[in-house]
Structures are given as structure tokens and as C-alpha cells.
């Protein structure tokens, strides 16, 4: 979305879908359980969750309710809180 193409590739292009189609797929996946693979938290949640979190933070991804709820669930994971706290501390140190 941040770097639009001059012309969109055909819908049959392997690996290509527009943003709304991709978000539809992710939304369906997270509606089946708390995580992408249902009850089990996996590396896919780390990757997709981080992209959604940052995309919504910077208004590059629309804030769909199901995706906001998914990111909120991921934010409650014990390992994420200290990581975010360390990032905030580094940001404060840089900005002085």
C-alpha cells in the first residue's frame, strides 16, 4: 500500500493479492481461534501480528475489528511486554 505499483499485476499472479483480499484471509484465520493456527501460538503469529500491529499503528492497514482484537491478544503475550518496554527505553534514550 505504501508503494503502489504503476499497474497491478493480474489477479492470477502467484503470491499477489490486493491488501483487502489478504486481510480477508487473515481475518478468517483469526476468527477460528485466538491465533492463526487456532489455539496454538506459532511463529506465524509473530510475523503476521507484528506486520498488522505496525501497519495499523502507521495507518497503512485499516483497523478491522477482528484484526484489532487479534493484535490485542498478541499484546497480552508475556514475552511481548518486556520487548516493548525495552524498545520504549531505547526510543527515549535516542530522543534524549
Amino acid at each position: 500500500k505504501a508503494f503502489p505499483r504503476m499497474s497491478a499485476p493480474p489477479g492470477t499472479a502467484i503470491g499477489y493479492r490486493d491488501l483487502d483480499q489478504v486481510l480477508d484471509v487473515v481475518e478468517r484465520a483469526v476468527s477460528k481461534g485466538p491465533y492463526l493456527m487456532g489455539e496454538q501460538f506459532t511463529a506465524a503469529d509473530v510475523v503476521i501480528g507484528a506486520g498488522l500491529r505496525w501497519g495499523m499503528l502507521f495507518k497503512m492497514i485499516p483497523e478491522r475489528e477482528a484484526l484489532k482484537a487479534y493484535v490485542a491478544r498478541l499484546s497480552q503475550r508475556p514475552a511481548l511486554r518486556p520487548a516493548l518496554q525495552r524498545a520504549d527505553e531505547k526510543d527515549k534514550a535516542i530522543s534524549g
Side-chain angles (χ1 to χ4, degrees), residues 4-41:
R5 298 171 179 249
M6 294 296 284
S7 61
T12 57
I14 294 175
Y16 174 80
R17 293 295 177 265
D18 68 30
L19 180 60
D20 288 326
Q21 288 175 313
V22 171
L23 294 178
D24 289 345
V25 170
V26 174
E27 191 169 8
R28 279 193 304 274
V30 300
S31 68
K32 295 177 183 176
Y35 305 114
L36 290 169
M37 301 302 291
E39 294 295 322
Q40 185 175 357
F41 178 79

Side-chain angles (χ1 to χ4, degrees), residues 86-96:
R86 285 192 301 274
D88 286 343
E89 290 168 1
K90 287 181 181 180
D91 287 347
K92 289 177 185 174
I94 291 171
S95 63

Side-chain angles (χ1 to χ4, degrees), residues 60-80:
M60 298 302 297
I61 294 177
E63 294 185 354
R64 296 180 178 194
E65 289 304 316
L67 300 180
K68 285 175 32 179
Y70 170 64
V71 169
R73 285 192 299 277
L74 296 178
S75 297
Q76 298 305 308
R77 300 281 306 172
L80 184 57

